[in-house]
Amino acid sequence: MADKPKQGEILGIPYNFERPSFGRMLASYWKPGEGMLVKKPFGIGYTLNLANWRSWVALLVVGGLLWQEQKSRSGDDDLEADEDDDGPVEVIVD
């Protein structure tokens, strides 16, 4: 039986299952002159090129959205705690 290729493309999506080395990992995430996305050093698909300024903008936007979500979740907990502190409520229905 023939050996299966460890790297290549399927339907335009790159894959690489060669054992990653530390140098190859560093070199794949920092490629000046390349686009925002580069092939992953191990696995399937693409990853961010940290030498491209657009990648840093994308990371800042994602970080800001995560921070905003975390902030809004902690604010919801405070509102629920305030509602629980109220005494009994009388409701009159005619």
Side-chain angles (χ1 to χ4, degrees):
M1 190 158 179
D3 291 331
K4 294 181 181 178
K6 295 190 178 205
Q7 65 181 20
E9 286 190 13
I10 296 179
L11 299 173
I13 300 173
Y15 66 90
N16 187 352
F17 294 114
E18 293 178 356
R19 185 179 202 123
S21 66
F22 186 70
R24 193 175 91 196
M25 294 289 281
L26 287 178
S28 64
Y29 288 108
W30 191 268
K31 291 188 175 184
E34 296 277 330
M36 181 176 152
L37 297 176
V38 292
K39 294 179 183 178
K40 280 184 142 185
F42 182 79
I44 301 171
Y46 296 94
T47 189
L48 291 176
N49 177 12
L50 297 177
N52 191 312
W53 64 271
R54 290 179 188 98
S55 299
W56 290 101
V57 171
L59 288 173
L60 287 173
V61 168
V62 169
L65 290 173
L66 289 173
W67 177 75
Q68 182 181 9
E69 180 184 1
Q70 188 76 15
K71 186 178 170 186
S72 69
R73 284 189 181 189
S74 66
D76 290 344
D77 294 340
D78 294 340
L79 291 175
E80 289 175 10
D82 291 341
E83 291 174 2
D84 293 340
D85 292 340
D86 293 339
V89 176
E90 183 178 339
V91 178
I92 300 174
V93 180
D94 286 330

